[in-house]
Structure formats: structure tokens, C-alpha cells
Amino acid sequence: AAAAVLVIAVATATLWPRAEEKAVVQQFATAQGEQRQITLFDGTVLRLDTGSEITTRFDGRQRLVELERGRAQFVVAADPDRPFLVKAGPGTVRDIGTTFQVSRIDGQVNVGLLEGRVDVSVGSGADVRRSELAPGEQINIDGNGAIGSRQPLDLAAAHAWPQGDLVFRQRRLDELLVEMNRYSQVQLRLGDPALGSLQVSGVFHAGDQEALVAALERGWSLRAQRQGAEEIVLSRPAQ
């Protein structure tokens, strides 16, 4: 399973010219804090999140996208003669639908389905393990190829990040900071690790560290201290 790759196959008719022999290869990447929308040769609309990198390889037989790192949303153009494949870590996913998201962060792969149908599998042959997703569901695959159980997808959060917003619902503060720090050179740190268990809810613009700090100061009575130009340390208020 560790040698397997995540493959998202989208059975989908398109008008873009068919490659004859040589595949057309392109690479796209986003820097920290950057999001980018890309329209591929076939009309598929791709939204890359911050710190993401993909390689596309289109030929006469298939449309292949490899997600090296980060997160992407795909709105796939139809082409019944050429499956749409996305590779991202261990496992295999076949998507027969329109809109889905894939992330590959810190060795963990997540597949979330917004529209259509997705069949997620890990391994091959007699060892294959499958799980089918319906719209509004997600599934995780770890670095060893272990596939998790189906879970509800937070649709508000899934629709928000392609628009540049992050939705948090009762998230641990340490987890929230990891996510927000992905979008900014200014890094938020905890002066006391015990603060990481605080539960935080809210909607914040990705990379707007000042707005998050202000909310934490008001709503959770935390104190923020700048440590140089690119670090803010959060701590308990002085007694």
C-alpha cells in the first residue's frame, strides 16, 4: 500500500485538441499566502491553495494531474474518451462527478466531494479496499495507505477556502494557528502550550493574522506580543 498512489479518475466530453504522441506537461505552484485559479487545456478549472504544487500531463489517452503538495479544488470538464486522474499519495480514487477537493499536507491525504460521486480505494488486486463517497462526505488516507471511514464534509469550510476565507468550528487553537500560519510570513506562536486546547470558532480571511489576534484578545482574553517582524506570541493575560 505504501507504494500505491492516490488516483482520482473522473469519467468526463470536451472540445480541446487531442494530443497525438507527445504528452503536454505543465507545472503550477503557489507561494505562501497565494491562491491561484487555472483553466487547463480541457476546460477543467483548478483552484490551487497556498503552498501547493501540481504537475499536469495530458495526452491522447488520459488527463493526469499529480498533486505534489498542498490543496486543490477541481471542477472537471467532461471527456468520455479521456479519464481525468489525480495522484496524491497512497491510495486510488475514482471520481465520477463535477467538483471535488484533494489535499496532501504533512503526509496526509484528504478527499472531499462537493458534487457527483467518488469511489476511493487503496491497494490493488485482491488487496484493494474501497469506500464510495456521496456529496458532502470526505475521507482520509494516511501515509501508510490506511483508509479511514467516511465522515461529513464541512461544506461551509470547503466552499470558503477557494474564496480566501477559513471557517473554524470549535477547533483547537494550536490546530487553528497551524492552518492560519500556512498563509502568512507572520507566524503566530503559543507562549504556553496549554493554550492549544482552547476551542475557537470563527471566519477569518486567510493570512489576516491581525484580525485573528484581535479576535483572540477580545473573545479569549489572550495577550499578543510581537517578537520581531515575523512572529507574534500569544500568552495568558498578566494577572
Side-chain angles (χ1 to χ4, degrees):
V5 289
L6 170 81
V7 179
I8 299 179
V10 184
T12 59
T14 183
L15 302 177
W16 68 287
R18 296 182 180 277
E20 297 297 332
E21 296 181 356
K22 187 176 181 180
V24 178
V25 179
Q26 291 184 298
Q27 293 182 313
F28 304 96
T30 52
Q32 186 177 38
E34 179 188 10
Q35 290 187 330
R36 184 178 179 188
Q37 182 163 301
I38 302 159
T39 301
L40 302 179
F41 283 114
D42 63 337
T44 292
V45 178
L46 167 66
R47 184 73 176 179
L48 275 186
D49 199 9
T50 180
S52 300
E53 181 179 358
I54 66 164
T55 299
T56 67
R57 186 181 183 88
F58 285 14
D59 60 26
R61 297 178 298 104
Q62 65 180 18
R63 300 169 290 168
L64 175 65
V65 177
E66 183 164 2
L67 178 63
E68 308 285 354
R69 56 186 171 89
R71 178 165 61 175
Q73 174 174 284
F74 300 88
V75 181
V76 180
D79 185 345
D81 299 324
R82 219 176 339 231
F84 191 95
L85 309 174
V86 178
K87 295 183 178 180
T92 302
V93 179
R94 179 176 178 83
D95 182 287
I96 305 174
T98 305
T99 305
F100 61 96
Q101 298 176 349
V102 183
S103 68
R104 186 180 187 182
I105 300 172
D106 296 331
Q108 303 295 309
V109 173
N110 175 271
V111 180
L113 182 63
L114 280 71
E115 299 178 17
R117 180 172 61 83
V118 168
D119 179 66
V120 182
S121 63
V122 172
S124 60
D127 296 326
V128 68
R129 299 178 300 282
R130 285 192 171 88
S131 182
E132 183 177 305
L133 297 185
E137 292 184 334
Q138 64 177 333
I139 201 164
N140 293 312
I141 304 172
D142 69 20
N144 295 319
I147 187 170
S149 59
R150 292 176 298 170
Q151 300 292 330
L153 176 65
D154 188 334
L155 289 173
H159 285 294
W161 76 256
Q163 307 301 318
D165 293 321
L166 299 178
V167 177
F168 302 105
R169 303 180 191 275
Q170 291 298 300
R171 288 283 297 276
R172 285 177 57 97
L173 179 58
D174 50 8
E175 296 175 350
L176 184 155
L177 295 188
V178 168
E179 182 69 8
M180 286 291 286
N181 284 343
R182 294 178 56 233
Y183 293 84
S184 177
Q185 294 290 335
V186 178
Q187 299 289 285
L188 303 179
R189 312 292 187 196
L190 293 177
D192 179 359
L195 293 173
S197 62
L198 288 177
Q199 301 293 303
V200 179
S201 297
V203 180
F204 302 96
H205 187 69
D208 192 346
Q209 307 292 64
E210 298 295 341
L212 175 57
V213 167
L216 293 173
E217 288 178 323
R218 291 194 308 268
W220 286 265
S221 300
L222 298 185
R223 181 177 58 167
Q225 292 181 305
R226 279 198 171 269
Q227 304 288 327
E230 296 185 350
E231 184 176 32
I232 299 175
V233 177
L234 299 169
S235 57
R236 300 182 187 275
Q239 297 299 319

